[in-house]
C-alpha cells in the first residue's frame, strides 16, 4: 500500500510584475534577468495573503480529486510566509474548505516545503494513521525580499499549489529528504523582532539575504545526488523517468541538473518564465498545470525534487 496523488490545484495572484516593470526602480534589465534566470514575469500579491491563496489552491485540488472535504484526515501547509503566528495556516484552510476534525499543521522547509509535506503525508498514510491528506504550498515571497536588492528580488513571486493524496496500490515508490543547518546562512530571513521589555537583540531588518552563487552551487550538487539516491532506492534508471518536476528557482539550475543526470532537458518542464521562484508553491503549481493540460498519463514515472533554505532538500519518486 502506498500514497497516490488524486487531485491538484493552484492559484496565483492576478497582479503581474514584468522584468520591464522592475527596471522602473532597479538597476537591471529584462535581458539580464531572462538570460541569468529564465524569468520573464511574476505574480505578486496585492493584499490577499498566504492563507487566501492556499484556500483557493486547496479548493481546486479537492474539486479535481472529486472528494468530500470531510474525508480529509490531515492538512499540511508548507510555507515560510504565513500571514499569522497562530492559528496555523492549515487550520484556517481547514475552516474554509469545510472540515472540522482533521489534523492541521504548517511546515517550514522553505523551497523544499512541498516535498517535505508530501513525504510526511506519505509516512502517515503508509503507517496506516491516515487515509487521505491535503498538502498545500503557499507563499507570499514578495514580503520577504528587499525590493531594492536586485540580486534577490528579481527571482521571486507569489502563489499557491496543492495536492490531495490517498491510500492506493500505486503511487509513491521512494522518498529522500535531508538538511544541512551548518550552511544555513547562505539564504536566510530574520523572523519577528523580540518585543518584550527584557529583549537584548538589536533591531535588524527582516528581509531575505542570499549568497546567490553559493545557493546555486549547493543546488546543482545536492539535487542530482538526492535524485540518484531516490532512483537507487527504487532500482530505476534516470532515463526511465518520464518527467522531472524540480523546484523552479533558476532555469540554469534545471539544465545543470539535467546534464548531471544525463537526461534530456525535454523531461524537465519549466514554468519559471511566468511565476519566478514561488518557493514551496513552485512544484505543486507546475504539477497542476501539467495535470490540467493532460500531459500526465497514468503509469508514467515522475520525480519531484526541491531544495532551499535550511539548507534543505527532498525528492519523491512516484507512478502517476
Ligand atoms: N540585474 C543586473 N545585474 C545584476 C543583477 C540584476 N538583477 N543582479 C546581480 N547583478 C550583477 C552583479 O552585481 C554582478 O556585477 P559585477 O560583475 O559588476 O559585480 C554581476 O551581475 C554578476 O553577478 P553574479 O552574482 O555573479 O550573477 P550570477 O550569474 O551568479 O546570477 C543569481 C545571480 C542570483 C541569478 C544566481 O546566482 C542564482 O540564481 N543563484 C541561485 C539563487 C536561488 O535560486 N535562490 C533560491 C533557492 S531556493
Amino acid at each position: 500500500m502506498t500514497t497516490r496523488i488524486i487531485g491538484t490545484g493552484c492559484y496565483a495572484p492576478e497582479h503581474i510584475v514584468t522584468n520591464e516593470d522592475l527596471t522602473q526602480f532597479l538597476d537591471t534589465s529584462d535581458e539580464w534577468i531572462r538570460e541569468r534566470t529564465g524569468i520573464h514575469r511574476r505574480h505578486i500579491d496585492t493584499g490577499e495573503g498566504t492563507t487566501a491563496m492556499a484556500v483557493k489552491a486547496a479548493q481546486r485540488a479537492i474539486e479535481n480529486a472529486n472528494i468530500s472535504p470531510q474525508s480529509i484526515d490531515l492538512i499540511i501547509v508548507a510555507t515560510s510566509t504565513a500571514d499569522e503566528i497562530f492559528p496555523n495556516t492549515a487550520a484556517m484552510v481547514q475552516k474554509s474548505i469545510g472540515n472540522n476534525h482533521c489534523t492541521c499543521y504548517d511546515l517550514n522547509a522553505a523551497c523544499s516545503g512541498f516535498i517535505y509535506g508530501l513525504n510526511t503525508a506519505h509516512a502517515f498514510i503508509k503507517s496506516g494513521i491516515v487515509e487521505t491528506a491535503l498538502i498545500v504550498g503557499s507563499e507570499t515571497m514578495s514580503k520577504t525580499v528587499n525590493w531594492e536588492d536586485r540580486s534577490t528580488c528579481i527571482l521571486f513571486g507569489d502563489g499557491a499549489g496543492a495536492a490531495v493524496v490517498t491510500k492506493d496500490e500505486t503511487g509513491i515508490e521512494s522518498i529522500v529528504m535531508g538538511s544541512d543547518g551548518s550552511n544555513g546562512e547562505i539564504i536566510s530571513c530574520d523572523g519577528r523582532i523580540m518585543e518584550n521589555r527584557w529583549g537584548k537583540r538589536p533591531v535588524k531588518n527582516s528581509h531575505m539575504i542570499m549568497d546567490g552563487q553559493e545557493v546555486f552551487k549547493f543546488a546543482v550538487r545536492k539535487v542530482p545526488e538526492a535524485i540518484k539516491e531516490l532512483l537507487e532506492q527504487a532500482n530505476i534508471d534516470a532515463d526511465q523517468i518520464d518527467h522531472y518536476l524540480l523546484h523552479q528557482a533558476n532555469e540554469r539550475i534545471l539544465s545543470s541538473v539535467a546534464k548531471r543526470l544525463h537526461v534530456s532537458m525535454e523531461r524537465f518542464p519549466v514554468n519559471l518564465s511566468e511565476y519566478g521562484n514561488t518557493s514551496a508553491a513552485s512544484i505543486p503549481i507546475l504539477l497542476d498545470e501539467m495535470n490540467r493540460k493532460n500531459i500526465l498519463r497514468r503509469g508514467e514515472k515522475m520525480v519531484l525534487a526541491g531544495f532551499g533554505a535550511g539548507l534543505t532538500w527532498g525528492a519523491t519518486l512516484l507512478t502517476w
Side-chain angles (χ1 to χ4, degrees):
M1 201 49 75
T2 186
T3 305
R4 192 160 76 84
I5 297 177
I6 56 165
T8 62
C10 79
Y11 173 78
E14 264 177 38
H15 186 68
I16 285 167
V17 175
T18 64
N19 293 344
E20 206 56 49
D21 293 334
L22 297 178
T23 66
Q24 307 300 309
F25 58 93
L26 279 176
D27 180 16
T28 189
S29 66
D30 177 43
E31 192 191 0
W32 193 97
I33 300 172
R34 280 176 193 240
E35 279 180 6
R36 300 284 177 126
T37 70
I39 298 164
H40 298 187
R41 53 194 213 157
R42 68 284 295 139
H43 294 243
I44 297 291
D45 180 33
T46 55
E48 281 179 291
T50 297
T51 304
M53 293 194 294
V55 168
K56 286 181 179 148
Q59 284 168 334
R60 288 172 186 176
I62 291 164
E63 202 185 311
N64 185 241
N66 199 18
I67 57 156
S68 154
Q70 285 287 35
S71 67
I72 294 169
D73 308 307
L74 169 70
I75 301 176
I76 300 175
V77 174
T79 186
S80 50
T81 55
D83 298 334
E84 314 199 6
I85 304 283
F86 48 80
N88 64 44
T89 316
M92 293 188 281
V93 169
Q94 180 201 31
K95 180 179 169 184
S96 298
I97 62 169
N99 177 303
N100 60 359
H101 61 85
C102 73
T103 307
C104 296
Y105 59 87
D106 291 4
L107 176 160
N108 180 354
C111 302
S112 310
F114 181 77
I115 300 296
Y116 268 53
L118 180 62
N119 290 351
T120 304
H122 172 56
F124 271 100
I125 289 171
K126 209 166 162 54
S127 64
I129 296 170
V130 310
E131 277 197 15
T132 302
L134 167 69
I135 306 110
V136 188
S138 185
E139 303 276 20
T140 316
M141 296 308 291
S142 59
K143 71 183 180 191
T144 70
V145 299
N146 176 355
W147 286 100
E148 288 172 7
D149 175 5
R150 67 178 183 171
S151 64
T152 54
C153 72
I154 53 129
L155 298 172
F156 294 93
D158 302 332
V164 175
V165 296
T166 197
K167 188 169 92 171
D168 206 328
E169 299 288 326
T170 55
I172 294 182
E173 291 178 26
S174 58
I175 62 169
V176 166
M177 285 190 285
S179 309
D180 176 11
S182 69
N183 215 7
E185 73 286 347
I186 65 172
I187 174 164
S188 68
C189 184
D190 282 345
R192 283 168 70 96
I193 306 295
M194 193 171 173
E195 267 191 301
N196 72 36
R197 64 172 69 212
W198 302 277
K200 290 195 180 117
R201 236 172 110 191
V203 173
K204 288 198 277 178
N205 84 43
S206 61
H207 290 132
M208 178 194 305
I209 46 173
M210 181 182 76
D211 181 337
Q213 288 186 2
E214 285 303 312
V215 174
F216 196 100
K217 281 191 244 166
F218 154 70
V220 300
R221 179 179 53 82
K222 190 42 90 178
V223 178
E225 260 176 43
I227 292 176
K228 281 179 188 163
E229 194 185 330
L230 188 76
L231 299 174
E232 266 171 39
Q233 269 184 39
N235 206 14
I236 287 178
D237 293 332
D239 64 6
Q240 290 175 269
I241 302 298
D242 299 289
H243 310 283
Y244 286 87
L245 277 72
L246 264 54
H247 167 49
Q248 305 283 296
N250 184 319
E251 205 165 324
R252 288 188 295 137
I253 294 178
L254 302 182
S255 54
S256 291
V257 173
K259 212 166 157 188
R260 282 174 194 229
L261 292 172
H262 307 290
V263 172
S264 159
M265 191 55 195
E266 281 170 20
R267 297 200 199 175
F268 285 69
V270 186
N271 66 3
L272 263 165
S273 58
E274 176 66 26
Y275 300 102
N277 177 346
T278 55
S279 191
S282 82
I283 295 171
I285 291 176
L286 184 61
L287 182 65
D288 184 50
E289 286 189 342
M290 293 178 75
N291 187 18
R292 281 170 202 268
K293 284 179 192 158
N294 281 322
I295 293 171
L296 307 173
R297 299 270 161 259
R298 200 77 203 266
E300 281 185 333
K301 303 267 184 222
M302 296 167 63
V303 164
L304 315 183
F307 56 92
L311 301 170
T312 56
W313 59 90
T316 312
L317 168 65
L318 57 89
T319 300
W320 186 251

